[in-house]
Amino acid sequence: MTAFIILAILAIVGALGVVVARQPVHSALFLVANILSLAILYLLLSAEFLAVAQVIVYAGAIMVLFLFVVTLLTAGKEEGEPKEQLEGQRWIAGVLAVGVGIALAVLAIHHPGRAIASGLPHNFGNLHGMGLLLWGPDFLYVGAIALMLVTAAIGVLVLNRPVRRQAPRPQRRNEA
Amino acid sequence: MIGNVLLVVKILVLIAILMTGFAYTMLVERRFLGFFQLRLGPNRVGPGGLLQPLADGLKMALKEDLMPNGADPMVYRIAPVLSLFAALSVDAVIPFGAPIHLFGQTINLDIANPSIGLLIAFAFSSLGIYGLVLGGWASQNKYSLLGGIRASAQMISYELAMGLSVLGVLMMAGTANLEHIVYAQQARGWFIIPQVIPFVIYFITAIAETNRTPFDLPEAESELVAGYHTEYSGIRFAMYIIAEYINMLTVSGLAVTLFLGGWLGPSFLPPILWFVIKVALLVFVFIWIRATYPRFRYDKLMSFGWKVLLPISFLYFLGTAAFVSGLL
């Protein structure tokens, strides 16, 4: 109980710090503190694989990329938002995002995780138990998330495709 | 009760071993670099220079701890501590030898033996980047910043290939527990034999993860003064250096555990000595490579990581998966 209270306070302070801090790098650091305290909370819930995945993926990779961008951005001056290249993509993206959210919710209601029906297996939370659940009865979720991630990757490629410009005609120079 | 006392004793002993290991790895590296470059190296303090690390430590501890005017004080002070913490904590899960029996107690030669030990080692080592990035940013100096940014890009890129190269061992052993991985090698032979390509990739990425030549772009002295630790001095500078060397020992220890049979070896030497000998050999290769190869160019480093190491380790990982699952 004491451990939970201490970790909860740390997590809340971290979350508040993200919003309150003036300096983007400080915000990122508060977020890291939040992520790490959440990881230890997972550990207390005997979800050890989730805890380690939280540290490796969020604290170790995503937040480092975040810091990479933030340190680069705060070093130079800010620029205005670039002009949108795809007309109306924000609206379509919003509608589609809501649709996907509804689809996921329906999926969760109709096919709840197998562990809810059958009770927790004895090895729940460690690598073995987690893998058996995810790649066995609950594979639907892995598939859904894989689809979303692939969409995100394709989206990045589309948004960052090189701008096609009318190249100015090279003028022939008279070398007389 | 006795378990807790034992734990504290083990932690203190491990830190003492790592610190001594760091000090003498550094001395050995300087001596060997001297021989590689046809000069003597530090040999004045004590017999054969053996007391040089003590003198260096004293000098570092007594030096003034400087901080630039524009620096972010909190982050600047905390960054090297993060680096050192991440470096030290990884070693907690590495088994240094077979369990020994002492005074009626069975003592495991590691601090903790979790079932996902390998993942925990990776989790802690992935936190080590923060020290470099934050130190570079907090110094408010463009060379430091560039060093920190390079460090984050390089370590994230090479971490992927490193993780993939280890997955083969994970699948062959069928467990992520480091002690069980060693026992699996007792039964089936060292994993370096079926996994020699992943071992080479692991070693290359390990050099990059520890920021050593030829991958020491974050502290390239010819372009960035000293990179992320340009502004640091005294004990905080020492923390960065300690972290680098302990990381070197750690990745060697992990390589030995995963690929080279851990503490296993013929019985005329005790298991822990076999472990030390193997780690020492790998550390020597680290030094040898440093003395041999020049530094990579930055874009070459990135394309090497993403276009060569990552695809090869991924293909080998797929092949191992097919083999282990019985498809091949």
Side-chain angles (χ1 to χ4, degrees):
Chain A
M1 195 61 194
T2 24
F4 171 76
I5 291 173
I6 294 171
L7 286 168
I9 291 173
L10 279 178
I12 293 172
V13 167
L16 284 179
V18 178
V19 194
V20 173
R22 307 291 302 166
Q23 181 68 256
V25 173
H26 292 171
S27 289
L29 284 181
F30 276 117
L31 191 51
V32 174
N34 175 273
I35 287 170
L36 290 182
S37 35
L38 279 187
I40 304 176
L41 274 177
Y42 292 150
L43 210 59
L44 289 183
L45 294 170
S46 71
E48 46 180 42
F49 175 68
L50 201 59
V52 172
Q54 169 101 348
V55 175
I56 294 182
V57 176
Y58 287 99
I62 293 181
M63 285 316 294
V64 176
L65 279 182
F66 237 85
L67 268 183
F68 178 79
V69 174
V70 166
T71 46
L72 261 182
L73 284 186
T74 47
K77 64 168 191 254
E78 267 179 47
E79 283 175 24
E81 231 174 289
K83 205 172 147 278
E84 268 184 38
Q85 288 163 22
L86 288 174
E87 275 305 307
Q89 54 121 344
R90 289 188 186 217
W91 282 101
I92 303 173
V95 171
L96 286 180
V98 171
V100 170
I102 291 173
L104 283 181
V106 169
L107 185 73
I109 291 167
H110 281 277
H111 298 273
R114 190 57 53 93
I116 292 177
S118 61
L120 292 184
H122 68 282
N123 54 5
F124 179 76
N126 65 23
L127 200 54
H128 202 64
M130 196 92 170
L132 279 181
L133 278 179
L134 278 184
W135 294 92
D138 293 343
F139 184 70
L140 207 56
Y141 292 98
V142 179
I145 286 171
L147 204 65
M148 280 176 66
L149 289 179
V150 170
T151 321
I154 294 174
V156 168
L157 287 182
V158 170
L159 287 179
N160 283 323
R161 73 197 188 288
V163 188
R164 218 171 275 166
R165 271 204 211 94
Q166 205 70 31
R169 268 213 158 149
Q171 289 190 333
R172 185 163 289 182
R173 202 178 288 164
N174 262 341
E175 291 183 25
Chain B
M1 184 59 203
I2 193 152
N4 285 342
V5 173
L6 193 65
L7 193 65
V8 173
V9 170
K10 279 204 287 196
I11 292 174
L12 292 179
V13 168
L14 178 68
I15 291 180
I17 290 176
L18 285 176
M19 287 300 173
T20 327
F22 143 71
Y24 281 92
T25 311
M26 193 153 171
L27 178 67
V28 166
E29 170 165 37
R30 290 173 68 186
R31 290 289 282 177
F32 269 121
L33 280 182
F35 295 138
F36 278 123
Q37 295 161 356
L38 302 181
R39 56 189 172 84
L40 286 174
N43 64 351
R44 295 285 127 177
V45 191
L50 273 181
L51 296 180
Q52 181 73 35
L54 261 176
D56 283 342
L58 203 65
K59 185 189 83 173
M60 283 296 182
L62 293 178
K63 265 193 170 179
E64 189 183 353
D65 184 16
L66 294 169
M67 182 161 70
N69 251 340
D72 185 318
M74 192 66 190
V75 181
Y76 184 84
R77 291 210 177 92
I78 238 175
V81 182
L82 282 179
S83 234
L84 186 57
F85 166 77
L88 283 174
S89 49
V90 182
D91 285 279
V93 293
I94 298 180
F96 287 89
I100 52 172
H101 301 279
L102 209 64
F103 308 121
Q105 299 258 340
T106 306
I107 302 175
N108 285 326
L109 292 185
D110 46 22
I111 307 253
N113 187 22
S115 64
I116 45 172
L118 181 60
L119 295 179
I120 288 181
F122 270 81
F124 275 122
S125 71
S126 72
L127 293 182
I129 313 176
Y130 282 107
L132 276 54
V133 183
L134 293 177
W137 174 80
S139 305
Q140 293 294 332
N141 161 339
K142 57 186 166 230
Y143 296 116
S144 302
L145 183 67
L146 281 172
I149 286 171
R150 276 185 179 187
S152 58
Q154 170 179 333
M155 287 171 90
I156 285 220
S157 311
Y158 279 72
E159 213 169 35
L160 282 173
M162 188 183 223
L164 278 174
S165 67
V166 165
L167 279 182
V169 169
L170 206 81
M171 286 186 294
M172 291 191 72
T175 171
N177 179 318
L178 291 172
E179 207 175 293
H180 289 177
I181 288 178
V182 175
Y183 283 126
Q185 295 180 79
Q186 194 164 28
R188 305 166 47 183
W190 295 2
F191 284 142
I192 189 177
I193 297 162
Q195 299 275 328
V196 64
I197 294 174
F199 172 72
V200 172
I201 290 178
Y202 175 88
F203 201 75
I204 295 173
T205 53
I207 300 172
E209 288 286 306
T210 47
N211 292 320
R212 290 181 53 83
T213 328
F215 300 104
D216 60 342
L217 274 296
E219 41 191 297
E221 72 273 357
S222 52
E223 350 172 353
L224 295 183
V225 191
Y228 58 90
H229 56 54
T230 303
E231 300 287 358
Y232 282 91
S233 62
I235 196 74
R236 286 178 208 281
F237 174 74
M239 282 187 199
Y240 274 127
I241 302 298
I242 296 173
E244 180 183 326
Y245 279 83
I246 287 184
N247 273 330
M248 195 161 91
L249 293 176
T250 307
V251 290
S252 303
L254 268 180
V256 167
T257 310
L258 294 172
F259 295 99
L260 298 176
W263 66 76
L264 303 174
S267 61
F268 59 87
L269 282 179
I272 193 163
L273 256 174
W274 278 114
F275 187 84
V276 171
I277 288 172
K278 290 173 190 173
V279 169
L281 278 177
L282 284 186
V283 168
F284 174 75
V285 177
F286 265 99
I287 298 168
W288 189 6
I289 288 175
R290 173 174 175 180
T292 309
Y293 288 107
R295 188 175 295 132
F296 264 72
R297 214 174 66 199
Y298 192 68
D299 55 325
K300 298 259 180 189
L301 169 98
M302 278 299 162
S303 62
F304 182 60
W306 285 98
K307 295 179 181 166
V308 179
L309 293 182
L310 192 62
I312 294 179
S313 52
F314 191 68
L315 283 179
Y316 210 94
F317 150 68
L318 283 183
T320 314
F323 186 75
V324 169
S325 64
L327 277 177
L328 274 180

